Structure formats: C-alpha cells, structure tokens
Amino acid sequence: MPGLFSPLTLRDVTFAHRAWMSPMMQFAAVVDGPEAGTPTDWHLQHFGARAIGGVALAMVEATAVNPVGRSSIYDLGLWNDAQVPGFRRLTGFISGHGAVPGIQIVHAGRKGSTGRPWPDPARQPEPWTTVGPSPIAFGRHPVPGELSRAEIGRIVTAFADAARRAVAAGFRVLEIHGAHGYLIHQFLSPQANVRTDEYGGTLGNRMRFALEVAAAVREAWPDHLPLFFRVSATDWLAGDTDDPRPGWTVEDTVVLAAELKTAGVDLVDVSSGGAVPDARIPVFPGYQVPFAKRVRAEADIATTSVGLITEAEQAEAIISGGEADAIFVARALLRNPNWVRDAARRTGVVLPYPPQYSRAFT
C-alpha cells in the first residue's frame, strides 16, 4: 500500500503526497463593492504559509455560487467575473510553492444569512431571505423559502458558472460542497427535505439535485482536472426514536458515491453531520475514518478522510492501511502551518523547501 508521502494522480493532476489542507472558512473576504467576495491579504498569508509549510493540496474555503448562497457577508464568492482576479493572486502563490490550488464551491441554503462566529461591533450582518428544499428551519434560524423547480435550475447553473470562473482563476481541483447541512445536503437529508415532487421522498429523488449539480459542474470543469465532492456520511441520527424523520445514513452515502462516480466525480471527501443542530456525535481521533473506508470499498471510488487527524503516525496508518487515499488536515494546520513538514520528518521524509529557508535545514 502507498504511504502518506507517496504521490497520488487523479486525471492529469499529480499531488506530491497525500497530506492536504482542508477547506476552512475564514470570514475575511472583501465585503463591499463589485469585488465583494474576493480574497484579502488574510487569505494570501493563510494559504501561502501552508503552501510553504508543505501541503500538497491547498483547498480554498467554501466559496458561494451566488450572494444568497453565502453563510455571511464575509464569505468568498465566485458569482461574477470581477471576483476572478483576486483568486488568481492566491492560485499563483500556492502553485509557485509546490502545492496544488483547489477550491470548494457551495450554496448555504437555509444555513445562510448569518454573521461571523465572533462578535463584530463594527459591522452588523445584513440579513436576506434564505432558501431550501422545504420550509423547515435549521434550529433557531429563520424558516427558508421553498425553492421552485425553476429556482433549482438556476442554482445548478450558478454552480456550473462558478466552476468556469474557478478555471479562469487558475484552480486545478474543484470540490462541490454537499455536506455539513448546506443546500445540497439539505436536499439529501429527510431532516430538511419533505418535498413531494421529483426532488423529494425517495432516495433517488433526494439525490437528484446533488447529481444534477455534479453533472453540470463536470461539464463546465475541464476534463483533465479532478472533481471532488464533500459529503456528510451520516446525520448521526440512526436509532434516534425521538425523531419521526430519519436522517441521511452511511448506506445512503455509498449509493450516492457510486452515482457521483458515474457522473464524473473522481474523489469523495468524507465528513459527517451538520443537518441538525442537536445531533449526538461521538467525537474522537479519526472518528470519520471508518466512513471513508466503507465508501472507498463499497462504491469503488477514491476517498479522503478528515476530522481530528492530528498525528503523523495516525495519518500514515490511515493511508498505508487502505482506509482512504488522502487525508485532509484542518485544525492541526491552523495551530501549526508546518504540520506537514513536521509529519514528514517523523516518517523519515524530507520535503523540498524554499531557498530562503535553507539555513534552517542545513
């Protein structure tokens, strides 16, 4: 089996190794004017430090495909061409330091129109009406408007248009965010979707929106570049007899993953949760790895795992044990931008480093 620091090729993109930077929202985008939604200097240093720190893939955070699809006014966006140059600055720096630039695109659905997770006395959020598959609120959030068939079609087109802009911005990996209770996951989960038309009810109907988005994005995204899809493997509600509506399950995820592969998705990024605010999630190191392993085996598609992967030996065991094809590192990289370099040294690997830093390694 390959190890953590062995290369991986998907379509025409070769990743130097399998330790990747997970998309993590920074709430630091330009807020006003025609360039609202573009990255700032914060993003340049954030991704630049991790690229220099040795990640093989730097995945830019959830980027909205239209303004209503934002979680907050501080989110990144790719809904107009004026936003593209700001992203080119990021991709140029990331690529120039040996990492592959990737970006995750999203529509927040009923989880939109919030502020930053920390107090912001200088700027109050500007609320807008959110949308979803059904008029069911997420916790104490406002009830969303139910999307019409025509509106669903326009959002599918918005995902494809964002993919085209991502190409123009220089990204070489694209990930569709179908997890964590955002719009695609809302369509998948009976917790948020009680529609009675062709987008609700049966598993096949609830998957329809996700598969339409995947097909439209695959058509817009160059054939030689890989397409990822992040999924919540479970809503963590199985066996919860207090809730009359079942949640999304890992068995459903295996079915979806096989259909995504047919639609041209190359890798499923396996996370979990987010559909309901009060799910009981048993969090421990590597708690989502078994889901990635099962999807990889049963759907015959490449997977990544994410979630409390914090130690080099732990990451190496996941890859060498065939449980996933790569790992996404999140909070550990926030704490230490050089986590990947440190992990490489712990496993006996020396990664290339910028000449400006040569005196630290000689």
Side-chain angles (χ1 to χ4, degrees), residues 30-99:
V30 174
V31 171
D32 297 308
E35 296 181 359
T38 60
T40 60
D41 287 347
W42 176 265
H43 295 95
L44 186 63
Q45 68 79 28
H46 174 65
F47 290 102
R50 278 81 190 168
I52 292 171
V55 301
L57 166 64
M59 185 71 79
V60 172
E61 67 209 65
T63 300
V65 300
N66 66 25
V68 175
R70 294 174 294 171
S71 294
S72 80
I73 60 172
Y74 303 98
D75 291 10
L76 295 177
L78 269 177
W79 61 78
N80 68 53
D81 293 343
Q83 295 163 325
V84 170
F87 285 97
R88 284 202 199 104
R89 187 173 175 230
L90 280 187
T91 59
F93 194 93
I94 291 168
S95 299
H97 290 279

Side-chain angles (χ1 to χ4, degrees), residues 127-203:
W128 56 87
T129 301
T130 61
V131 296
S134 301
I136 301 172
F138 177 82
R140 296 181 179 180
H141 289 222
V143 175
E146 181 172 292
L147 288 164
S148 68
R149 292 180 180 86
E151 289 170 327
I152 291 170
R154 286 194 288 271
I155 292 174
V156 171
T157 299
F159 270 96
D161 290 343
R164 295 186 184 94
R165 293 187 182 103
V167 178
F171 289 100
R172 301 188 66 221
V173 172
L174 185 70
E175 177 168 275
I176 300 167
H177 199 342
H180 300 166
Y182 295 125
L183 184 62
I184 293 175
H185 187 189
Q186 290 162 31
F187 271 89
L188 295 172
S189 176
Q191 289 290 315
N193 183 353
V194 294
R195 297 175 74 101
T196 57
D197 63 4
E198 66 269 32
Y199 289 96
T202 66
L203 176 60

Side-chain angles (χ1 to χ4, degrees), residues 60-355:
V60 172
E61 67 209 65
T63 300
V65 300
N66 66 25
V68 175
R70 294 174 294 171
S71 294
S72 80
I73 60 172
Y74 303 98
D75 291 10
L76 295 177
L78 269 177
W79 61 78
N80 68 53
D81 293 343
Q83 295 163 325
V84 170
F87 285 97
R88 284 202 199 104
R89 187 173 175 230
L90 280 187
T91 59
F93 194 93
I94 291 168
S95 299
H97 290 279
V100 175
I103 189 169
Q104 183 187 71
I105 54 175
V106 70
H107 192 297
R110 68 177 185 168
K111 294 179 83 172
S113 191
T114 62
R116 289 196 274 209
W118 56 87
D120 185 13
R123 178 95 185 218
Q124 295 299 315
E126 299 171 2
W128 56 87
T129 301
T130 61
V131 296
S134 301
I136 301 172
F138 177 82
R140 296 181 179 180
H141 289 222
V143 175
E146 181 172 292
L147 288 164
S148 68
R149 292 180 180 86
E151 289 170 327
I152 291 170
R154 286 194 288 271
I155 292 174
V156 171
T157 299
F159 270 96
D161 290 343
R164 295 186 184 94
R165 293 187 182 103
V167 178
F171 289 100
R172 301 188 66 221
V173 172
L174 185 70
E175 177 168 275
I176 300 167
H177 199 342
H180 300 166
Y182 295 125
L183 184 62
I184 293 175
H185 187 189
Q186 290 162 31
F187 271 89
L188 295 172
S189 176
Q191 289 290 315
N193 183 353
V194 294
R195 297 175 74 101
T196 57
D197 63 4
E198 66 269 32
Y199 289 96
T202 66
L203 176 60
N205 281 357
R206 286 183 282 113
M207 294 193 307
R208 188 182 305 277
F209 177 62
L211 295 175
E212 287 180 351
V213 169
V217 168
R218 181 71 270 182
E219 185 175 356
W221 187 243
D223 188 61
H224 67 283
L225 298 179
L227 176 62
F228 296 3
F229 190 104
R230 175 165 275 194
V231 65
S232 282
T234 175
D235 288 344
W236 294 104
L237 294 173
D240 187 348
T241 56
D242 295 333
D243 194 319
R245 286 173 291 154
W248 180 258
T249 68
V250 66
E251 291 79 15
D252 297 334
T253 297
V254 170
V255 175
L256 174 64
E259 293 292 332
L260 290 170
K261 181 179 179 180
T262 300
V265 170
D266 301 291
L267 179 144
V268 176
D269 175 10
V270 183
S271 187
S272 70
V276 295
D278 54 355
R280 295 188 286 269
I281 302 177
V283 177
F284 54 86
Y287 69 104
Q288 295 174 148
V289 173
F291 301 138
K293 180 180 180 180
R294 181 170 176 182
V295 171
R296 185 177 189 264
E298 296 185 20
D300 190 29
I301 191 169
T303 63
T304 58
S305 188
V306 65
L308 290 185
I309 300 172
T310 60
E311 303 297 330
E313 296 79 5
Q314 174 196 18
E316 176 64 38
I318 292 168
I319 303 303
S320 61
E323 296 178 285
D325 295 275
I327 57 149
F328 271 121
V329 181
R331 280 170 281 189
L333 272 171
L334 294 182
R335 292 188 290 267
N336 177 11
N338 294 304
W339 185 92
V340 172
R341 290 192 180 278
D342 293 345
R345 283 196 295 273
R346 290 177 67 93
T347 55
V349 174
V350 177
L351 297 179
Y353 49 83

